[in-house]
Amino acid sequence: MVHNKEFDIIIIGAGAAGMMCAHIAASKHKKVLLLDHSSRLAEKIRISGGGRCNFTNVNTNPECYLSQNKHFATSALSRYTPFHFTEILDKYNIGYHEKTLGQLFCNEKSQAIIDLLDQLCQENNVTRLMETSIISLDKINGRFKLETNRGIFNSETLVVACGGLSIPQIGASGFGYQIAKQFGLKIIDTRPALVPLTLNQETLASFSPLSGISFDSITSIGKVSFRENSLFTHRGLSGPAILQISSYWQHGESIKINLLPDKAIKSEILDNRSSNKLLRNFLHDFFSERLTERICELLGINRQLSQLSNKDIDKITSFIHNFEILPNGSEGYKKAEVTKGGVDTKFLDSKSMMAKNIDGLYFIGEVVDVTGWLGGYNFQWAWSSAHAAATSI
Ligand SMILES: Cc1cc2nc3c(=O)[nH]c(=O)nc-3n(C[C@H](O)[C@H](O)[C@H](O)COP(=O)(O)OP(=O)(O)OC[C@H]3O[C@@H](n4cnc5c(N)ncnc54)[C@H](O)[C@@H]3O)c2cc1C
């Protein structure tokens, strides 16, 4: 039951950014209403990081984010860093560990982070309303008015923390973009990112024997590259290196994959030039059996090393270190970890996240055109942008 329908701040979206912003703003004695149309808090935190939430990355820096304005995230990220977030976890005895590449994960379930944010909201008297749908929203006489299925709420400040379009099954909606447009802000075209890529039937048929095989790789498009595992699936390509490069991929573009990042296959062959070993047996020292078979079939070469011509060696080298593949699409928002694009940062103040043209209207988290790499960067953006807004209100 909500008695007070007048608030200082209304936050739409009780996800990572919304909960973070709510407790910080409320700790400054502001009356805060946090509302969400879902029945459960921060579902994405719960399902993230395989259930253990990769909540930040110690290597966070603005270079790890995609945006039309590369510098937009710098201010918020520098004022609220991974260290600030781990400080709260330490204070509340929530254990975590670094897995790889600076990625910090909870020791226990992700729920620990949701419970902590919820506790901080409660300690600071945030009013929380779940299963609340907004019917209409306007700004009248300097105050925001929200008509919902639970009544009308007014506030001086409105924070939009609705997230992006990925995983609509658990509450994602384009509502944040709709609010932005309503108030005259522009949207940078959105599309699924950190997403598995699909292959056409013909290519898929030639790689289907490899489905389920994961291998160390460097994926690249132009000058951007990622060194992590790639994985063949029954629909195409996945694994961290593919998810990373998917954020940079555009229709019609091919991806280059270095199948053997740690070795130079040409020198390995040249060092064994006089050997009578078959190429297949030789390559099996570097690749799994199935992958070796496929490489040899696709190359159409299976001679002894001593019989390889220079042309053969160049062909093998190019195939292994510069393997080119042309995806025909992605698995879409149903499988994407994030949404690329969003509220155009040209319309936002990078220090406060407030809309430049509308006093009191803020956008934080994934709804903004700031998209992090895989590995905890997106949650860090949620925490940092939420902090920037909450401390400036
Ligand atoms: C499977 C998966 C795994 C991920 N793993 C990681 C990870 O390990 N590390 C990482 O950094 N990032 C990860 N991410 C990305 C990360 O979850 C998001 O970037 C982050 O949650 C964004 O926070 P947010 O608060 O902006 O949006 P969300 O967390 O998406 O919160 C938005 C909230 O707004 C609510 N909402 C939406 N529309 C409305 C509406 N119309 N009315 C009212 N409420 C509404 C939603 O119900 C939701 O509660 C993962 C994402 C997915 C899908």
Side-chain angles (χ1 to χ4, degrees):
M1 182 75 172
V2 178
H3 299 288
N4 190 341
K5 297 203 168 184
E6 298 292 323
F7 290 87
D8 296 320
I9 304 167
I10 297 176
I11 301 172
I12 307 177
M19 291 178 85
M20 186 75 176
C21 184
H23 85 79
I24 301 174
S27 72
K28 300 195 308 171
H29 308 291
K30 302 277 187 189
K31 263 188 225 156
V32 179
L33 171 65
L34 176 63
L35 59 82
D36 201 296
H37 65 173
S38 291
S39 55
R40 299 178 66 165
L41 282 172
E43 272 292 83
K44 283 204 187 149
I45 298 184
R46 192 179 60 78
I47 63 169
S48 66
R52 290 191 190 254
C53 189
N54 174 199
F55 56 83
T56 191
N57 193 300
V58 295
N59 301 321
T60 297
N61 74 73
E63 298 292 313
C64 311
Y65 293 84
L66 292 85
S67 172
Q68 294 279 309
N69 175 0
K70 275 177 153 192
H71 306 292
F72 181 80
T74 307
S75 171
L77 290 171
S78 65
R79 284 178 297 134
Y80 193 88
T81 66
F83 172 72
H84 290 105
F85 196 76
T86 52
E87 226 177 14
I88 316 183
L89 299 190
D90 292 340
K91 185 171 166 198
Y92 287 87
N93 288 319
I94 294 178
Y96 55 90
H97 59 278
E98 182 175 335
K99 207 166 171 183
T100 171
L101 303 170
Q103 303 166 4
L104 299 189
F105 284 76
C106 294
N107 290 347
E108 305 298 332
K109 293 201 165 135
S110 318
Q111 189 65 38
I113 300 225
I114 304 175
D115 292 344
L116 171 63
L117 291 171
D118 191 25
Q119 180 187 338
L120 294 171
C121 284
Q122 286 181 35
E123 281 173 5
N124 289 293
N125 300 316
V126 171
T127 304
R128 175 156 62 71
L129 277 183
M130 303 304 287
E131 298 182 87
T132 305
S133 306
I134 296 156
I135 298 158
S136 72
L137 184 167
D138 219 335
K139 190 173 185 196
I140 300 163
N141 298 330
R143 286 182 76 73
F144 293 94
K145 179 180 174 194
L146 277 70
E147 193 191 343
T148 77
N149 58 333
R150 294 175 183 271
I152 293 173
F153 303 102
N154 301 290
S155 66
E156 191 180 330
T157 301
L158 180 67
V159 181
V160 181
C162 291
L165 294 166
S166 40
I167 324 280
Q169 316 79 296
I170 57 163
S173 79
F175 192 52
Y177 311 130
Q178 198 182 309
I179 301 173
K181 283 186 202 155
Q182 178 183 343
F183 287 99
L185 285 77
K186 291 224 162 71
I187 302 298
I188 301 295
D189 284 348
T190 58
R191 65 181 181 83
L194 298 182
V195 64
L197 297 172
T198 54
L199 299 171
N200 68 31
Q201 281 309 319
E202 199 187 330
T203 319
L204 206 53
S206 96
F207 288 103
S208 62
L210 299 180
S211 180
I213 290 189
S214 168
F215 56 95
D216 184 18
S217 62
I218 296 175
T219 54
S220 50
I221 292 176
K223 287 188 179 147
V224 184
S225 61
F226 294 95
R227 165 89 186 257
E228 287 190 65
N229 277 0
S230 291
L231 169 75
F232 289 102
T233 70
H234 64 288
R235 289 173 58 89
L237 292 162
S238 189
I242 296 294
L243 299 188
Q244 295 280 33
I245 209 71
S246 74
S247 299
Y248 293 84
W249 177 77
Q250 303 200 16
H251 269 276
E253 225 175 5
S254 58
I255 289 174
K256 283 197 174 139
I257 307 179
N258 181 345
L259 304 169
L260 195 63
D262 267 340
K263 301 252 190 276
I265 200 68
K266 187 166 185 169
S267 11
E268 296 288 336
I269 295 174
L270 293 177
D271 287 350
N272 291 277
R273 194 74 195 263
S274 55
S275 165
N276 288 332
K277 220 175 185 182
L278 279 173
L279 179 66
R280 172 176 287 129
N281 298 340
F282 176 73
L283 290 182
H284 191 21
D285 290 345
F286 306 100
F287 301 106
S288 69
E289 195 169 338
R290 274 200 282 163
L291 190 48
T292 306
E293 285 292 321
R294 204 68 206 115
I295 291 172
C296 288
E297 275 165 30
L298 290 168
L299 278 168
I301 305 173
N302 194 23
R303 282 186 273 288
Q304 292 171 332
L305 297 191
S306 54
Q307 291 173 349
L308 293 175
S309 65
N310 287 343
K311 209 170 147 202
D312 288 337
I313 296 174
D314 286 344
K315 190 172 171 192
I316 297 163
T317 305
S318 159
F319 188 95
I320 287 177
H321 292 303
N322 246 332
F323 177 68
E324 248 188 84
I325 196 153
L326 179 67
N328 70 347
S330 82
E331 295 211 19
Y333 289 116
K334 265 206 272 185
K335 291 280 168 67
E337 280 205 9
V338 283
T339 302
K340 189 178 168 189
V343 177
D344 189 341
T345 57
K346 264 194 226 134
F347 291 76
L348 303 177
D349 172 54
S350 64
K351 290 204 169 57
S352 66
M353 311 301 295
M354 191 171 87
K356 288 177 182 165
N357 59 332
I358 306 280
D359 253 11
L361 178 63
Y362 293 73
F363 291 86
I364 58 173
E366 198 180 313
V367 73
V368 178
D369 171 36
V370 173
T371 307
W373 288 352
L374 187 78
Y377 299 100
N378 284 296
F379 279 129
Q380 186 57 45
W381 170 244
W383 318 135
S384 298
S385 58
H387 172 268
T391 49
S392 80
I393 295 170

